[in-house]
Amino acid sequence: MTVIRFRCAKRTSKADAMSIGVFDSGVGGLTVHRALVERFPAADFIYLADQANAPYGGRPGEEIVELTKAGCIRLFEAGASVVVLACNTASAIALRRLQQTWLPGYRRETGRALNVLGIIVPTIEAATGLPWEHEADRRGEQVQKVDVLGVFSTPGTAGSRVFEIEIDKRKQDLAVFSEPCPNLARLIEQDANRAVLAAEIAGHVEALRRRIGRHPDRAVLGCTHYEIVADLFREALPPGTPLIHQPDSTADALARYFERHPEYDLGSSGGRRFLTTGTPGEQNGLVAAFWGGPLVFEAA
Ligand code: DGL
């Protein structure tokens, strides 16, 4: 199996300040990063955008696993103690594999308290209103009314069926329908004009409506990129359709996690570093859209 490692510009020793790492295939994860920074202002953060390999959404699963592992290693080497996969595709396809087959050995090798967390568990907790540990007791249960959750995502996330499988285990009266949007993240990255994006989104909302037979009661924008066109989803969906907000759900879940796990050192000097496997500077236009202002990226 190919082992992908990013070129490591600066290796941080164990003695250096620890931080929260945030990983995404691109700059879409900045929407999640911003919510985390607001929630943990004193913590040190390091963000890695794997722009050299984005988009992840249509890649084979094994590649997504290897790329995500390489991203985690880069962030751990730069001082992260916890890496948050802000990318739905990486969370859906790589997270469990990495937690089960790679992370335990890597922890032993480095002798550090480290973890990798994802964005899907917090989203499902927000969608079901139930803690992750909850599994439905199905004995003799009669389901009277079913709410429908629509999930717009990359083909990788939709193909994993993670939302369908995990919600079905926990909440029988919530049916999930995923709508893969193969071009949307790329169009957003390319800064396509709003009319093009609106038409693309309206097409997916209509395709989902036809498949369900009606519009969903609630929706998840299950790709970090979609957050910046949330207004176009709101226009295409029936007025008032609630959207589950992944950045806030992830910040809420992380706050609960750190309360249970005080062993993780998150730093305390409010440091912010931004790394890209792509070319620093090229992401400037998009960063303004995702972050609301300029940021300086370094080569990873
Ligand atoms: N950021 C990724 C996600 O949330 C989507 C973009 C990509 O395909 O790389 O799934």
Side-chain angles (χ1 to χ4, degrees):
M1 184 186 294
T2 344
V3 176
I4 303 165
R5 282 174 82 91
F6 299 139
R7 193 166 38 87
C8 188
K10 279 180 211 151
R11 197 185 164 94
T12 304
S13 80
K14 279 184 217 165
D16 284 335
M18 293 293 142
S19 54
I20 301 175
V22 181
F23 178 75
D24 188 34
S25 56
V27 293
L30 287 173
T31 52
V32 176
H33 181 268
R34 190 173 48 197
L36 300 184
V37 164
E38 280 167 12
R39 194 65 60 97
F40 309 102
D44 293 308
F45 278 88
I46 177 156
Y47 183 95
L48 174 60
D50 187 13
Q51 291 183 293
N53 297 298
Y56 278 16
R59 281 182 178 274
E62 281 307 307
E63 281 183 25
I64 295 169
V65 172
E66 286 304 312
L67 290 168
T68 305
K69 180 162 86 180
C72 290
I73 292 173
R74 178 68 186 95
L75 285 165
F76 287 139
E77 288 182 342
S81 54
V82 170
V83 170
V84 179
L85 302 181
C87 179
N88 284 270
T89 313
S91 301
I93 291 168
L95 179 57
R96 189 167 291 182
R97 268 274 295 283
L98 295 181
Q99 282 172 334
Q100 290 176 348
T101 65
W102 166 72
L103 197 56
Y106 186 75
R107 276 195 199 108
R108 276 196 301 278
E109 204 181 291
T110 57
R112 292 166 55 193
L114 304 170
N115 208 358
V116 183
L117 305 169
I119 194 169
I120 305 252
V121 168
T123 308
I124 290 179
E125 287 184 327
T128 58
L130 295 166
W132 185 249
E133 299 70 36
H134 179 94
E135 290 213 4
D137 180 358
R138 293 164 176 277
R139 281 170 302 181
E141 230 174 83
Q142 285 281 318
V143 176
Q144 302 292 340
K145 181 180 174 295
V146 175
D147 272 342
V148 175
L149 181 72
V151 180
F152 298 93
S153 71
T154 65
T157 302
S160 77
R161 297 184 52 76
V162 64
F163 283 100
E164 285 87 336
I165 293 166
E166 297 298 339
I167 288 180
D168 184 60
K169 283 185 202 164
R170 292 168 173 80
K171 202 162 164 56
Q172 281 183 280
D173 55 358
L174 184 61
V176 180
F177 287 81
S178 288
E179 169 66 14
C181 310
N183 300 318
L184 193 51
R186 184 180 47 78
L187 286 172
I188 294 168
E189 283 272 345
Q190 289 170 350
D191 210 7
N193 76 45
R194 283 181 57 86
V196 171
L197 291 168
E200 183 77 14
I201 289 167
H204 286 299
V205 167
E206 176 54 17
L208 186 63
R209 187 198 64 76
R210 277 202 307 272
R211 201 140 44 79
I212 304 173
R214 65 175 172 92
H215 281 292
D217 301 298
R218 289 183 285 150
V220 172
L221 305 188
C223 167
T224 50
H225 284 69
Y226 304 170
E227 187 54 38
I228 65 157
V229 287
D231 59 324
L232 296 178
F233 275 97
R234 283 201 186 85
E235 275 170 25
L237 287 160
T241 305
L243 297 182
I244 290 159
H245 194 252
Q246 287 198 307
D248 286 346
S249 307
T250 307
D252 292 344
L254 206 59
R256 293 194 295 272
Y257 181 81
F258 289 140
E259 262 171 38
R260 296 196 303 277
H261 293 279
E263 69 270 26
Y264 292 108
D265 182 350
L266 313 177
S268 55
S269 57
R272 313 282 181 251
R273 275 182 80 194
F274 299 89
L275 306 180
T276 177
T277 59
T279 309
E282 275 180 3
Q283 54 287 110
N284 286 353
L286 268 178
V287 161
F290 282 103
W291 182 261
L295 290 174
V296 177
F297 273 77
E298 308 163 38

